[in-house]
Amino acid sequence: MWEPGDMIAWRGFYRERIWHVQPTILVKDSPEEIMLTLLPGTECAAEETYPAGKNKGNRLWDFIN
């Protein structure tokens, strides 16, 4: 278990590989939930083609699916 205030690397995966990484700060970690905060202006490391979206730009990113 992490402690509130710990820096956590939030990693997003796409097709079984890391697609983006963002530093976040842990707010809460319990068996029921994990709560992170992403501060305004936080930079992200991402795959070079990430901004184009999926399927070579034919489908923009959506965070619902």
Side-chain angles (χ1 to χ4, degrees), residues 1-8 24-38:
M1 300 292 252
W2 294 298
E3 296 294 325
D6 284 353
M7 183 77 65
I8 307 293
T24 60
I25 299 171
L26 181 79
V27 175
K28 178 181 178 182
D29 183 14
S30 72
E32 293 80 30
E33 67 182 337
I34 184 168
M35 186 182 307
L36 305 169
T37 185
L38 180 62

Side-chain angles (χ1 to χ4, degrees), residues 2-62:
W2 294 298
E3 296 294 325
D6 284 353
M7 183 77 65
I8 307 293
W10 174 23
R11 298 178 295 172
F13 289 83
Y14 177 63
R15 295 190 178 171
E16 300 182 15
R17 38 186 271 221
I18 296 175
W19 200 248
H20 69 87
V21 180
Q22 293 174 291
T24 60
I25 299 171
L26 181 79
V27 175
K28 178 181 178 182
D29 183 14
S30 72
E32 293 80 30
E33 67 182 337
I34 184 168
M35 186 182 307
L36 305 169
T37 185
L38 180 62
L39 300 177
T42 301
E43 295 193 16
C44 171
E47 175 73 28
E48 184 178 345
T49 59
Y50 184 86
K54 299 177 185 173
N55 297 328
K56 299 179 183 168
N58 294 326
R59 179 173 169 220
L60 295 178
W61 286 103
D62 59 42

